[in-house]
Amino acid sequence: MRTRLQCAAFCTFLLSVLSFIFVAAVLTSRHVSYRLEVRAKHVRDLERRPLEQDSTFRIPEQNNGPDVDPVTLRDRPPLEVNVSSYTASRQPFPSIDAEEIKRLIAAAERSDELIRAKTTKNTVTNQTTVAQKKPAAEKPTTKASVGEVAKATMKETIKQPPPSKDPGGFRLVSRGENIQAGDVQVHIPTAVFYNDFPEKSAFNILLNGWARHNDSMAFKCCFLHSFQNTSTKQNIVFTEAPAKVYNVYKQWIVDMQNAEFSCSVPANQLKASGVSKFSYVTFVKSSCRDASNDIMRIEFPKAVAKSVGVCLKVTYGTLNPEKMVEWFEFTKLMGVTKVFTYYFDVDPPAMKVLEYYNSTGFLDLLLIHPAKSKGGKARGFRHPRYSEQAFVDEVMGANDCKHRMSQYDYIIVMDMDEFILPKGELKTYYDILKKTSDKFPKAAGFQFDSHVIITSWGISRSSALHITRYVNRTEQANYDGAERNTRWAFKPTKTFYARNNFVYVKRDYEVAVVPHDYYMLFHYRGCKRQWAGCKSKPVTDTIMVKYEAALVDNVLKLPLGDVLYKSASYIQNITQWKLAHRSVI
């Protein structure tokens, strides 16, 4: 009996031990499986991370959020590594964890100096590199160095993701050429730097162009610090920033609205990258990995003392080249700093004049590329045309002047058949606007009332110049009293946006009517049927005549045979006038 009890106790004990061993084995197996699963996931995640410039890891974006700061491998402490057994057998390293790989790379850089330290100032938060898949590394020979083995191992262990697009050289677009933001119906020809606007201490650019009014306008700016036309997406590092809508012009709803946007890189991001400014930008729908090959140069306007810019918006069609020359020379007499205009489908004689003044630096001349919606028709400016769209395109031109001349004191929006003549002691456009600013300190927009020199009334005096042959004007300002007949000047950094015949100033600023005793504005044109002033008695006004001699002298200094190659009789008449009258220089 006693023996049976002892045997039963022993069996029970044995079963307990076996059960314990079994449970321990199961738990150990599950733990090992869990560790292996975690390790496998870690390796899979590691394989998805691109290797940038052989020295920097970047963690890809999660849920389209910003990237985290990169881990720079060369900042790791030195580590002595003996790899002779692997180099002798010409076999790659066995599978090792990511931290060990990082340490091997650091040791390779330090020991063999094969991998030079590369600057990481451009690899910052919210940057995106479009990586190209690299070819598989050759197996190291018995004479391979530590660096060669480590680099080969890294390439085999961490797979490179394929680029989202085929890599290739980038193209720097010409000034005024559009870049579309992916398949978003936003077309941008202009990117201009602004200091402390709209964000303080940030790198800001304002963009001007077109957008489809009822479509999404969400896109991103991709900034570049430097660029070469041989650069490929493999070695380009972008800094990404979302675009924000600044203003969309909707007075006329047309195929494509004039639209303005802003993109800003915050100060903390600039500080982390060591980059104070960017020189180039392109635009994408969602990620800079999908950037096109087109890159745009960012404009950095320079401040000019006592400066006035004149904005012609868009020049097109058939124009009288002789009248154009007279307008440009009068504008120069008025102390204008520079004239800006887009051009489109201009007849050759007029184009010759534009090209000449562009070559002297007095005119900033850019070809406009009118954007059209997806499936929309190409358009121009000559009649017959889509008139409302043409008006909106001119609004785009006016706001382009606002940005490109943003560091000027004043900008005047006008046409080449309009002339502002100072009165009294005032001599230049700047004098008129400065005196008005002194009278109205809070003014940022300035209204000029105009009188028409109605050419259909006929020539009223003999002159070699077109503008001094006509001296009869309307008595009433602004012809029919309509707002659209006024002309406007503005301070660009204090103006929200501009139209053809009006400006909207920013908060805390005002518009002012320029006093009539400061100037006279002449608009040379034929009479419109609806103008009541055409039937009234004309008023003779010879204020323009005092500039006649100086204008003749300046016109004769031009290479007229080239600039006015179809105006032989005009050149002859102005030369004879010069001989018959004493020049006033």
Side-chain angles (χ1 to χ4, degrees), residues 494-548:
K494 298 175 181 178
T495 298
F496 180 46
Y497 80 96
R499 281 177 15 199
N500 297 336
N501 305 101
F502 196 73
V503 297
Y504 294 84
V505 297
K506 293 180 180 178
R507 188 177 302 169
D508 300 329
Y509 295 98
E510 301 172 350
V511 297
V513 177
V514 181
H516 288 187
D517 56 348
Y518 291 1
Y519 75 99
M520 178 66 71
L521 193 158
F522 285 166
H523 184 184
Y524 288 73
R525 62 153 301 138
C527 185
K528 287 185 177 181
R529 291 181 180 179
Q530 65 268 33
W531 287 354
C534 294
K535 298 179 181 179
S536 62
K537 183 178 180 180
V539 175
T540 300
D541 194 331
T542 60
I543 188 173
M544 178 66 82
V545 175
K546 68 179 181 180
Y547 299 101
E548 184 177 36

Side-chain angles (χ1 to χ4, degrees), residues 311-313 327 413-419 487 523:
C311 179
L312 292 175
K313 300 167 294 186
W327 183 88
V413 181
M414 61 194 307
D415 297 326
M416 276 190 281
D417 56 0
E418 296 165 346
F419 300 77
R487 294 297 175 262
H523 184 184

Side-chain angles (χ1 to χ4, degrees), residues 321-322 324-326 329 349 352-353 356-357 464-465 551-576 578:
E322 300 159 12
M324 292 172 67
V325 165
E326 292 178 12
E329 291 305 317
K352 197 70 174 179
V353 176
Y356 169 74
Y357 285 101
L465 301 175
L551 285 172
V552 168
D553 285 345
N554 290 346
V555 170
L556 286 173
K557 293 176 183 177
L558 305 177
L560 294 178
D562 182 43
V563 178
L564 298 176
Y565 66 95
K566 284 193 173 183
S567 301
S569 60
Y570 177 83
I571 296 172
Q572 182 180 3
N573 290 338
I574 199 170
T575 303
Q576 291 175 350
K578 169 71 175 177

Side-chain angles (χ1 to χ4, degrees), residues 453 457-462 468-473 540-541:
I453 298 289
W457 282 345
I459 295 174
S460 49
R461 70 182 295 271
S462 176
T468 49
R469 292 174 189 168
Y470 302 90
V471 293
N472 291 332
R473 63 167 174 82
T540 300
D541 194 331

Side-chain angles (χ1 to χ4, degrees), residues 220-261:
K220 293 181 179 179
C221 292
C222 303
F223 290 97
L224 283 172
H225 174 63
S226 59
F227 162 78
Q228 295 179 349
N229 58 7
T230 57
S231 297
T232 64
K233 293 178 182 178
Q234 177 184 0
N235 52 26
I236 286 292
V237 178
F238 288 111
T239 296
E240 190 175 278
K244 299 178 181 179
V245 175
Y246 177 78
N247 181 59
V248 179
Y249 179 77
K250 292 185 178 180
Q251 182 181 4
W252 298 90
I253 299 299
V254 291
D255 182 48
M256 296 295 286
Q257 309 301 130
N258 173 223
E260 299 169 83
F261 305 88

Side-chain angles (χ1 to χ4, degrees), residues 195-225:
N195 187 35
D196 290 335
F197 180 81
E199 295 187 18
K200 294 288 186 181
S201 303
F203 183 87
N204 305 289
I205 61 171
L206 263 72
L207 312 172
N208 186 44
W210 294 270
R212 181 72 175 167
H213 73 278
N214 57 354
D215 281 13
S216 170
M217 298 182 190
F219 67 97
K220 293 181 179 179
C221 292
C222 303
F223 290 97
L224 283 172
H225 174 63

